[in-house]
Each structure stands twice: as C-alpha cells, then as structure tokens.
Amino acid sequence: MHVSDLPIGVFDSGIGGLTVVRQMRRALPNEDLVYLGDTARVPYGTKSPATVVRFACEDTQFLADQQVKAVVVACNTASAWALSTLERRFDLPLFGVILPGVRAALAASRNRRIGVIATPATIRSQAYTRAFLARDDSLELVVRDCPLLVPLVEEGWTSGPVTEAVLREYLAPLLQRRIDTLVLGCTHYPLLRATIAAVAGPEVTLVDSAERCAEYVAEGLRQLGRLCVGRTRPGRVLPFVTDDTRWFDEQAAQFLGETPDPASRVALPIIEMR
Amino acid sequence: MHVSDLPIGVFDSGIGGLTVVRQMRRALPNEDLVYLGDTARVPYGTKSPATVVRFACEDTQFLADQQVKAVVVACNTASAWALSTLERRFDLPLFGVILPGVRAALAASRNRRIGVIATPATIRSQAYTRAFLARDDSLELVVRDCPLLVPLVEEGWTSGPVTEAVLREYLAPLLQRRIDTLVLGCTHYPLLRATIAAVAGPEVTLVDSAERCAEYVAEGLRQLGRLCVGRTRPGRVLPFVTDDTRWFDEQAAQFLGETPDPASRVALPIIEMR
C-alpha cells in the first residue's frame, strides 16, 4: 500500500473537530479519515499548557499507531500550545487550525482591525497574536477568550436569548473597536455562526478556521504528493472516542452534517512528559 | 499515631468540592484535610458513568495512599455513580453528598414538592430520585440538569443578567410546579446561591448539599470513633490537583472562604476497570 492511500488522522478534545472533518469531506471527498475525540478529558481550552501538550501527544500517538499519513490538529487550543512539540516528536506531516485562519483573515480585512474569539488557553498562548503580527505588525488585533461558548454549543443552545446575551457581552469590546473581520478561533464556534453573525452585524466578515483548515490540508498534502489521487470510491470516516460512544454518536451528525459510522471507545497510550 | 489523628480525604472533579471543605472547616475545625481536585479532567458531570466510576476510583486510591481515615466524595456526579463501587473496592469509611441533601430537603419541605438541579450525569443516574422516593414515595419531584451552571461559576459570572437568564430558563419548569424546596445538587452551585434565591423567590428554601454533607461527615466520624477529639491546634488543608496549580491557587479562596496552602500537582494512579 502506498503512503498516499493511508487515511488522514484528525483529533480534537471532543466533538468540535468534526466541523473540520465536515470541511475536509468537501475538499477531499475520497480521503479516508480517522477521527479521535478525547471526550473523557474534554475540554482542553480551560486546562494548562503542560496538560494540553501531554494530551495532544497521547492523541497523536494513538493516530500514529493507526498508520495515518498525516495528522490534523483540529483543535485551536492544541494547535496553539502543542504543534511545535508534536513536530519534534512525530515523523508525520502535521497541520494545525491557526495558520489557515490567520491567512484568511488577513485576506478578508480592509480596515486592518481584526478580532479573534477563542478558548482561554488559546488566547493565553498568544498563538493568534504572534501569527498575525509576524505577517503584518501594523494590524490592530482585539482578542477575547469566551469560556462559555463551548458549553453553550454542547448544551445545544446555538441560538436564543441566552446565547445572544452571552455573545453580546463577549463581542462588545471587539465591536467597539470596529473590527471588520472576526476569526472563530475554536472548532465549536461554527455551530454558533448564525448567532455570531446576527450579534456582530453585516459589516463583520466571519472567518471559520475549520473551513480554511481543510483547504490548507488539501494544499499541504498535494505538495507532499500524499493525496490519494487514484481512488474513486468515497472516503470513509472512522471515529474513535475516549468516553462513552453513545453521546458522540447522537451528537456527531449535528457537527458533521452527515451520520458517521458508530464510534469505538479506546484507551489512549500514556506518555510521560519530561 | 491513632487512626483518629489521620487526615480526612476529600475529592472532587475540580474546585467545586472546596465548598464542602469550607463547611467541614466550620463543623470540624481541628481536623486535617487532604483535598484532591482532578482539574486535568474536570468536569465529570458531562461524562459517562463508566468514565466517572474509573476517575473516582483513581481519586480515592490517591487519597488512600495518603493514609486518610475516611474519604468524602465532594462531587454529586461521583457520589451518584461511583459510591457503591468505591465501597466495594476500598476498606475506608466513605461519605457522599447526596444523602445529606436529601435528608435536609425532606425536613424542609412543607408542600412535598421538591426540586433538584444538578449536572446531566447526576440527573441521569436518578440517584436523587431513588434516594427521595425510598424515603417518601408520595413526594412530587421535579429534576433538571443544568450543564451551563458549572461553566458559569468557573467563568466567575455568579450574578448578572446572563446568569439570571440561564437560571430563569432552567428553573422555569420547577417553579411552574410550585416546589417549595430546591436541592443545589452540585458542589459548584453554592456560589450561585444569591442569584438562584433571587430567581426562585422567597417561597423556595434552598438546600446546600455542601453544608449538609459536613454535618453528615461529623456525625459519621463520631459514630465510628474517628474524630480527632484530643487535638487543640487548628486543622490544616493540604490541596492536590492534577492540572497546573496556579489557576487553582488563584480561584481556591473564592470557594473556600480562606486562602489555602499552595496546591501540589500530582499524577494519579491508573486503575483498569473490569
């Protein structure tokens, strides 16, 4: 079997990374995908850097053991803190979600005032700030951590008065600074897109890191000669989780836009960090 | 050293269990306490039963290794799902938070309509329903899972319009049924007490399981002859966490009502469940 025929591995702290898988299914319909959601330890966005790095190494080791040809870190928090460690530890092409979002926002903004909303851990990492300013240090960046948005999505409250009130509170300082572009810096946030758009108003362009990540992976694999160009059958999605499969199986379609095969529950390899 | 001089172990998924410790410090001021918050894997309330049981066994094993004389499961979710397994596996007195809350609510209610709010996992366990109905099967119980309340407390939004809106939504079906007593079935909820009281109105008596648990532990240890009756110095609180200590050290005083010693980070023993 040629390496280009192997599946692509994708992991996230939980179920949010399926929004990346959804876009990858559109961009790369014939690729097989192995998805890992670390649902026993979700969320990552409120945990410390050292813990996020350790969890991300264990997730990547699991995918490497499944013989994947590349790994997509479909979690902004893990991309922010762990990508460089993963690149040192694993001999596999690795793709994060931050860089593609940054590129898309730079292309979209006209007034050079860009907002980023993300989990506390992602914001604390300054990964977005550093990636933006390395490309254009004249930008005005307004970042905000939004710890309630992941729980709201997981509760299923993607619209309605409570979610609008939370978003008005979180977005107020960004809108006061008149941003024209807003990066949804967490793979859960695409499910709030309509409500975020309503609160942010029509002058603000929303950049969905999930969507941009899929294009970035397609481009990267093409450059590496690892696209499975010969396959004509539709690709498959093989889901794994670390907690009970039932909740995942019930919720997955909402994120993925199609019903995946039933998930399998797995124990992850344990990695001791030094 | 006599067994009664050993510390009492207390664990929770995170920081909420410190509300139980706070009440234990009042009820048992001379007892030494060892606290474990599993902050790397918080929350438990949205995880599956099998995962909650495994985590609770690992937490209890850690405390047993610290030579404690008893273990308080200061987490409603772990009490609901894991207490019977812990009682089988560990040769230690074990105290949960559910039974004391049930007893206090039964004593407080006049119209026999009692509400319970808790995490999804606690509600799904039916632990409260079974404990209430075993004591009085003529009760009318109205239970509601409230997955957003723990994230709201951890965000620090314990009052204000968003929290009021969330609570109005969650409490509406309970208030429509004219409950006169409401059990706060999660150790995070005492921090929302003032806002819950404002939304529920003056006719509803709030039962704080943390407060009742401390009395229950004092009574239980007295019966077992394990109270440290001879000690005159104030007891100490020794905190351990599984994620970074800084966030815990910053937040702990809000839950505990005093500043504890700095926490130590620990790796828990790994238990394979059969």
Side-chain angles (χ1 to χ4, degrees):
Chain A
M1 196 190 227
H2 191 267
V3 64
S4 63
D5 293 324
L6 297 173
I8 303 168
V10 182
F11 79 85
D12 178 41
S13 59
I15 201 163
L18 288 175
T19 62
V20 176
V21 171
R22 179 181 198 154
Q23 300 297 336
M24 288 177 68
R25 299 276 287 160
R26 291 188 189 169
L28 300 163
N30 297 331
E31 295 286 343
D32 289 337
L33 305 177
V34 177
Y35 183 81
L36 171 65
D38 188 9
T39 49
R41 302 191 290 197
V42 71
Y44 287 2
T46 53
K47 311 280 161 79
S48 75
T51 294
V52 170
V53 170
R54 178 165 63 87
F55 290 174
C57 286
E58 293 171 350
D59 298 332
T60 303
Q61 185 63 57
F62 172 82
L63 291 172
D65 294 344
Q66 310 306 306
Q67 308 288 327
V68 297
K69 64 183 172 187
V71 169
V72 178
V73 184
C75 169
N76 282 264
T77 302
S79 296
W81 282 110
L83 203 55
S84 59
T85 303
L86 298 177
E87 283 168 344
R88 276 198 309 277
R89 287 182 79 111
F90 294 93
D91 185 25
L92 271 171
L94 283 148
F95 300 94
V97 280
I98 288 176
L99 197 55
V102 166
R103 285 188 191 162
L106 287 170
S109 176
R110 295 164 308 280
N111 74 3
R112 315 314 281 163
R113 294 181 186 182
I114 297 176
V116 179
I117 54 174
T119 65
T122 299
I123 295 299
R124 217 160 42 231
S125 76
Q126 300 206 294
Y128 274 104
T129 305
R130 282 183 279 115
F132 270 116
L133 296 182
R135 284 162 183 78
D136 181 350
D137 64 6
S138 72
L139 290 174
E140 185 173 346
L141 283 179
V142 197
V143 304
R144 175 81 198 241
D145 61 319
C146 305
L148 287 170
L149 298 187
V150 168
L152 277 167
V153 170
E154 302 224 329
E155 168 70 318
W157 291 10
T158 53
S159 60
V162 167
T163 304
E164 281 166 29
V166 171
L167 281 166
R168 269 196 302 274
E169 174 89 20
Y170 282 146
L171 295 183
L174 289 78
L175 299 174
Q176 271 164 17
R177 300 272 290 277
R178 304 208 163 277
I179 59 163
D180 75 348
T181 304
L182 177 62
V183 179
L184 310 186
C186 171
T187 51
H188 276 78
Y189 298 175
L191 277 90
L192 297 167
R193 186 171 188 139
T195 312
I196 293 171
V199 171
E203 291 90 48
V204 179
T205 303
L206 303 186
V207 172
D208 174 349
S209 56
E211 198 175 317
R212 301 311 174 158
C213 179
E215 298 162 6
Y216 173 66
V217 172
E219 177 194 316
L221 289 180
R222 194 175 299 115
Q223 286 170 2
L224 292 165
R226 291 203 178 186
L227 283 180
C228 83
V229 285
R231 187 179 296 153
T232 52
R233 68 163 171 81
R236 301 184 191 104
V237 180
L238 195 60
F240 294 93
V241 291
T242 54
D243 195 359
D244 189 51
T245 58
R246 194 171 34 175
W247 183 84
F248 182 90
D249 289 338
E250 286 168 9
Q251 301 288 320
Q254 187 196 170
F255 288 75
L256 193 56
E258 63 182 312
T259 303
D261 285 342
S264 304
R265 181 179 183 150
V266 290
L268 297 182
I270 290 157
I271 295 183
E272 294 207 22
M273 306 299 293
R274 264 169 293 262
Chain B
M1 194 188 228
H2 190 268
V3 64
S4 62
D5 293 325
L6 297 174
I8 304 168
V10 182
F11 79 85
D12 178 41
S13 61
I15 201 163
L18 288 175
T19 61
V20 176
V21 171
R22 180 182 197 154
Q23 300 298 335
M24 289 177 65
R25 299 275 288 162
R26 290 189 190 169
L28 299 164
N30 297 331
E31 295 286 343
D32 289 336
L33 305 176
V34 177
Y35 183 81
L36 171 65
D38 189 9
T39 49
R41 304 190 290 197
V42 70
Y44 288 0
T46 53
K47 311 281 161 79
S48 74
T51 293
V52 170
V53 170
R54 178 164 62 87
F55 290 174
C57 287
E58 293 170 350
D59 298 333
T60 304
Q61 186 63 57
F62 172 81
L63 292 172
D65 294 344
Q66 310 307 306
Q67 308 289 329
V68 296
K69 65 183 171 187
V71 169
V72 179
V73 184
C75 168
N76 283 265
T77 302
S79 296
W81 282 110
L83 203 55
S84 59
T85 303
L86 297 177
E87 284 168 342
R88 277 198 307 279
R89 287 183 81 112
F90 294 93
D91 185 25
L92 270 172
L94 283 148
F95 300 93
V97 280
I98 289 177
L99 197 55
V102 166
R103 286 189 190 162
L106 287 170
S109 177
R110 294 163 308 280
N111 73 4
R112 315 314 281 163
R113 296 183 184 178
I114 297 176
V116 179
I117 54 174
T119 65
T122 299
I123 296 298
R124 217 159 43 229
S125 75
Q126 302 207 293
Y128 274 102
T129 306
R130 281 184 281 115
F132 271 116
L133 296 183
R135 284 161 183 78
D136 180 351
D137 65 6
S138 71
L139 289 174
E140 184 173 346
L141 282 178
V142 198
V143 303
R144 175 81 198 241
D145 61 318
C146 305
L148 288 171
L149 298 188
V150 169
L152 278 167
V153 170
E154 302 225 328
E155 168 70 319
W157 291 11
T158 53
S159 60
V162 166
T163 304
E164 281 165 28
V166 170
L167 281 167
R168 269 196 301 275
E169 174 90 19
Y170 282 147
L171 295 182
L174 289 78
L175 299 174
Q176 272 163 18
R177 300 272 288 280
R178 305 209 163 277
I179 58 163
D180 74 349
T181 304
L182 176 62
V183 178
L184 311 187
C186 170
T187 51
H188 276 78
Y189 298 175
L191 278 91
L192 297 167
R193 186 171 187 139
T195 312
I196 293 172
V199 171
E203 290 90 49
V204 179
T205 303
L206 303 187
V207 172
D208 174 349
S209 56
E211 198 174 318
R212 300 312 173 157
C213 179
E215 298 161 9
Y216 173 66
V217 172
E219 177 194 316
L221 289 179
R222 195 173 300 117
Q223 285 171 2
L224 292 165
R226 291 203 178 187
L227 283 180
C228 82
V229 284
R231 189 179 295 153
T232 53
R233 67 162 172 82
R236 302 185 189 103
V237 180
L238 194 62
F240 294 93
V241 292
T242 55
D243 195 1
D244 189 49
T245 58
R246 194 170 33 176
W247 183 84
F248 182 90
D249 289 338
E250 286 168 7
Q251 300 289 320
Q254 188 197 168
F255 288 75
L256 193 56
E258 62 181 313
T259 304
D261 285 342
S264 304
R265 181 179 185 150
V266 290
L268 296 182
I270 290 156
I271 296 182
E272 294 208 21
M273 305 299 294
R274 263 168 294 263

